[in-house]
Amino acid sequence: MALNLQRAEFVRSAAKSADFPRDGLPQVVFAGRSNVGKSSVINKILLRKNLARVGAAPGKTTHINYFLIDEKLYLVDLPGYGYAKVSQAERDRWGRLIESWFADNALMTLGIMVVDARHKPTADDCTMAEWFKQSGKPFLVVANKLDKLRKSEIEPNLARIRETLGLPDDVKVIAFSAEKGEGRQELLSEILKSMGESE
């Protein structure tokens, strides 16, 4: 049973725990810093230009956004974190919202953490990785912006990401370019696998 990626629709923005869909469909959640290209990664997976809104200014996603794919799977876009220009109160609100999402262990099927392949992960990234580890659910890391790296930089940078985030050996780090589509097929395979599907 393949997944028809053409059948992708934005279904809701959740501002509080009561808004989270709990209909038993798998939920693949995306987390990352506000300027890391999370929306671009989602759009690239679906081969859509702007299903997930790509904000000109980082920090635009202030709710948890749900996209329903082929009526079989949710892609869940968490608010980007670590953006300096929002108020502390707003940052706290996002934190509580994300916390309430993670608190319900029934929600997540697979976690996808998006980091910038060029840089060492930040303290916020490390915190996010801890949330994923503590959830006890499978997760992986997407190192986006691969196209901005020289070939010789890729392996050392991926090793640095793995080490900084303290990732267990079974957590994959997928080199990805939302620009060029590299890594898309591998990521899609992991998403399908998490649903118990094959390609």
Side-chain angles (χ1 to χ4, degrees):
M1 188 171 73
L3 200 58
N4 180 358
L5 298 175
Q6 297 308 305
R7 296 187 62 205
E9 55 177 332
F10 170 73
V11 283
R12 71 172 69 174
S13 261
K16 55 188 188 302
S17 175
D19 299 337
F20 303 157
R22 291 185 171 82
D23 51 14
L25 289 181
Q27 297 192 24
V28 173
V29 65
F30 289 78
R33 283 205 323 281
S34 18
N35 56 353
V36 78
K38 195 158 43 72
S39 300
S40 304
V41 170
I42 294 173
N43 288 331
K44 180 52 78 178
I45 292 170
L46 300 172
L47 299 176
R48 298 284 274 272
K49 275 281 184 283
N50 50 10
L51 184 71
R53 285 186 293 281
V54 181
K60 274 278 186 285
T61 312
T62 55
H63 294 76
I64 297 180
N65 290 329
Y66 284 85
F67 303 92
L68 182 61
I69 315 302
D70 202 15
E71 296 185 356
K72 294 177 188 162
L73 162 79
Y74 290 108
L75 296 186
V76 185
D77 187 8
L78 295 183
Y81 52 80
Y83 186 56
K85 286 190 183 168
V86 293
S87 69
Q88 188 57 48
E90 184 68 352
R91 276 215 294 264
D92 291 345
R93 191 182 69 74
W94 294 359
R96 284 194 301 275
L97 183 62
I98 293 174
E99 213 164 302
S100 65
W101 197 87
F102 273 93
D104 187 337
N105 207 261
L107 295 177
M108 180 165 63
T109 308
L110 174 69
I112 296 176
M113 183 172 162
V114 184
V115 298
D116 190 324
R118 299 170 298 177
H119 306 303
K120 182 178 175 176
T122 64
D124 284 332
D125 288 327
C126 292
T127 301
M128 194 73 235
E130 282 308 313
W131 284 37
F132 277 125
K133 287 179 215 169
Q134 285 164 17
S135 74
K137 296 295 180 82
F139 77 102
L140 56 87
V141 174
V142 166
N144 191 26
K145 307 195 181 185
L146 183 66
D147 47 285
K148 307 270 199 297
L149 288 178
R150 289 197 294 276
K151 282 263 189 295
S152 62
E153 296 173 317
I154 295 171
E155 283 310 318
N157 282 27
L158 295 183
R160 181 174 66 177
I161 288 167
R162 177 174 286 287
E163 187 185 348
T164 306
L165 296 176
L167 298 176
D169 291 343
D170 61 347
V171 173
K172 277 193 173 180
V173 178
I174 296 177
F176 196 92
S177 166
E179 197 65 35
K180 304 245 171 74
E182 288 170 81
R184 175 182 178 269
Q185 208 44 57
E186 188 181 353
L187 182 53
L188 200 49
S189 301
E190 291 297 323
I191 291 172
L192 290 171
K193 209 160 75 183
S194 77
M195 298 169 63
E197 301 284 347
S198 55
E199 287 173 77

